[in-house]
Amino acid sequence: MKDLPLSKVYQLLEPGPVVLLTTAQKGRANVMAMSWHMMVEFEPPLVACVVSNADYSFAALRATKECVIAIPALKLARKVVEVGNCSGRNVAKFEAFGLTPVPAERVSPPLVAECFANLECRVADTRLVNRYNLFVLEVLKAWSDPTQKNPKTIHHHGHGRFAVDGEMIRPRSRMP
Amino acid sequence: MKDLPLSKVYQLLEPGPVVLLTTAQKGRANVMAMSWHMMVEFEPPLVACVVSNADYSFAALRATKECVIAIPALKLARKVVEVGNCSGRNVAKFEAFGLTPVPAERVSPPLVAECFANLECRVADTRLVNRYNLFVLEVLKAWSDPTQKNPKTIHHHGHGRFAVDGEMIRPRSRMP
C-alpha cells in the first residue's frame, strides 16, 4: 500500500461509499460495516461517523479513541454484507470472512489488506457521542492500493440493496 | 409530490448523493449544493451536515434553523454544478437556473419541484456549529415525486467529477 496525500481523503468519502471500520481492544481486532459517515474538513481531514451503541465496536472506539476506515471495492460486496450481518461479540470476523489485518502506522486497529484505501483515524471530538453516537475523527495517515485502479464502490440503499458506481461524468457548467 | 414515510428517509441519504439545500431569510430563498451529510438516526430521522461558514446559506440556516434537503437525479447534474459554482450573495439561483420553488408544509424554505425527493428539516442541535460548521437536523416531513421512477443519483468525487449510480445489487450473504 502506498501513501495517499491527506488532501485527497475527501475524494474517497464524499461520494458516500459503504466502508469498513476496524477497532482493536485487548489485543483483539474487530471490523464492522458502516454507511453513516461524512467529511467535516478537508485538511487535516476530519470525518464524522455514527457507530451505534448497540454495535460491539462502539465500546472499543470510545475507549481506545482509534479506528481505521477501510474502503472496499465492489469485489468485496459479499464480504461487506457478511461483516455487517454479524457481531464481533461472537465472531472473529477477520478470520471468519478471510480479511487480512495489516498493522497500521499511527494507530492500533489494523488496516484491511483487501481494501483499496485505508484511513488511520483518532477520535477528535466526543461531544455528540452520548446523545447521537456521533464521533468526529481526524485522519492521521492515509493509504491506497495502487494495484486497484478506478475501483467501483457500493452505496447502501437499505435492506441489503446497493448501488454500484456507474459511469463517471463531469458536467459542463455554463457559468464563466 | 407525495408523502414519503419518515421511516424511509435513510434510504435516500445513506447512499451519499449530492443534494441541494434550500434556505430562506427575509423573504428570499436560496439554494446550495451539498455533499457533506450523513444519517444520524432512523426515526424520527436525524441528519448531520456541514455547511461552511463561507457559504451564503450558513447565516440563514443558523438564524432561521430551517432548511429543505432536495435530492436531484442525474438529469439535474448540470444545474447542480451551476448552483454549486456561484453564491446566493450575488445570484438569485432559483431564477438563474430554472429551478422551481414550491412552498413547504412545515418550514419556510421552499421545496425544489424538479427534485425526486424533498426533506423539510429543522435544526435540532448546534453544539458543533461553531467548531465544525456541523448541524444536526431533524426531518419533519418528507416528499417524493412518484413520476420519477428509480432515479439515478450523482456522487461527487471532487473537482466536478461525479459517479452516477450504476446497477443495483443485493449480494447474497452466506450467513444463516
Side-chain angles (χ1 to χ4, degrees):
Chain A
M1 272 184 278
K2 218 182 86 180
D3 270 11
L4 179 77
L6 292 180
S7 60
K8 294 192 171 177
V9 164
Y10 81 97
Q11 297 176 11
L12 297 172
L13 294 184
E14 188 163 319
V18 177
V19 301
L20 299 177
L21 185 86
T22 83
T23 49
Q25 198 171 22
K26 296 173 186 163
R28 186 162 172 271
N30 187 28
V31 56
M32 64 175 278
M34 179 172 81
S35 283
W36 291 10
H37 59 75
M38 68 174 178
M39 290 304 302
V40 170
E41 185 52 271
F42 288 104
E43 198 176 4
L46 298 179
V47 177
C49 68
V50 173
V51 175
S52 167
N53 55 15
D55 288 325
Y56 185 64
S57 303
F58 177 84
L61 180 59
R62 188 162 62 170
T64 68
K65 291 189 155 50
E66 292 182 342
C67 63
V68 168
I69 294 174
I71 311 179
L74 172 59
K75 65 177 179 179
L76 292 177
R78 198 167 68 173
K79 293 191 183 200
V80 169
V81 170
E82 291 172 325
V83 162
N85 281 351
C86 66
S87 168
R89 268 181 206 91
N90 35 44
V91 179
K93 297 200 219 178
F94 276 96
E95 295 161 30
F97 305 122
L99 295 171
T100 311
V102 176
E105 190 177 290
R106 303 278 303 270
V107 298
S108 295
L111 315 178
V112 180
E114 289 78 8
C115 287
F116 71 86
N118 279 272
L119 313 175
E120 303 186 17
C121 303
R122 70 170 184 87
V123 173
D125 199 307
T126 58
R127 273 181 286 170
L128 297 192
V129 170
N130 285 344
R131 181 80 178 264
Y132 304 110
N133 299 325
L134 188 160
F135 296 82
V136 179
L137 311 172
E138 179 183 348
V139 180
L140 303 172
K141 170 81 186 165
W143 304 92
S144 70
D145 176 357
T147 69
Q148 296 195 48
K149 309 263 187 221
N150 304 314
K152 287 180 184 297
T153 57
I154 59 173
H155 302 257
H156 192 225
H157 282 245
H159 303 297
R161 291 175 67 242
F162 299 83
V164 181
D165 289 340
E167 63 166 334
M168 294 292 301
I169 61 171
R170 187 194 289 270
R172 269 292 285 289
S173 167
R174 284 168 305 192
M175 299 283 297
Chain B
M1 272 185 278
K2 217 182 86 180
D3 269 12
L4 180 76
L6 292 181
S7 60
K8 294 194 171 177
V9 164
Y10 80 96
Q11 297 176 11
L12 297 171
L13 293 183
E14 188 163 318
V18 177
V19 300
L20 299 177
L21 185 87
T22 82
T23 49
Q25 199 171 22
K26 294 172 188 163
R28 187 162 171 272
N30 187 28
V31 55
M32 64 175 277
M34 179 171 81
S35 283
W36 291 10
H37 59 76
M38 68 173 176
M39 290 304 301
V40 170
E41 185 53 270
F42 288 104
E43 196 175 5
L46 299 178
V47 177
C49 68
V50 173
V51 175
S52 167
N53 56 14
D55 287 326
Y56 185 64
S57 302
F58 177 84
L61 181 57
R62 188 162 61 170
T64 68
K65 292 189 155 47
E66 292 183 341
C67 63
V68 168
I69 294 175
I71 311 180
L74 172 59
K75 65 177 179 179
L76 291 178
R78 197 166 70 175
K79 292 192 183 198
V80 169
V81 170
E82 290 170 326
V83 163
N85 281 351
C86 67
S87 169
R89 267 181 206 91
N90 35 46
V91 179
K93 296 200 220 179
F94 276 95
E95 295 161 32
F97 304 123
L99 295 170
T100 311
V102 176
E105 189 176 291
R106 304 279 303 271
V107 299
S108 296
L111 314 178
V112 181
E114 289 78 8
C115 286
F116 71 86
N118 280 271
L119 312 174
E120 303 186 17
C121 303
R122 71 169 184 87
V123 174
D125 199 308
T126 58
R127 274 181 284 169
L128 296 192
V129 170
N130 285 345
R131 180 80 178 264
Y132 304 110
N133 299 324
L134 188 160
F135 296 82
V136 178
L137 311 173
E138 179 182 348
V139 180
L140 303 172
K141 171 82 188 164
W143 304 94
S144 70
D145 175 357
T147 70
Q148 298 194 47
K149 309 263 186 222
N150 303 314
K152 288 180 182 297
T153 56
I154 59 173
H155 302 258
H156 192 224
H157 282 245
H159 304 298
R161 292 175 67 241
F162 299 83
V164 181
D165 288 341
E167 62 167 337
M168 295 293 299
I169 62 171
R170 187 193 290 268
R172 269 293 285 289
S173 167
R174 284 168 306 192
M175 298 283 296

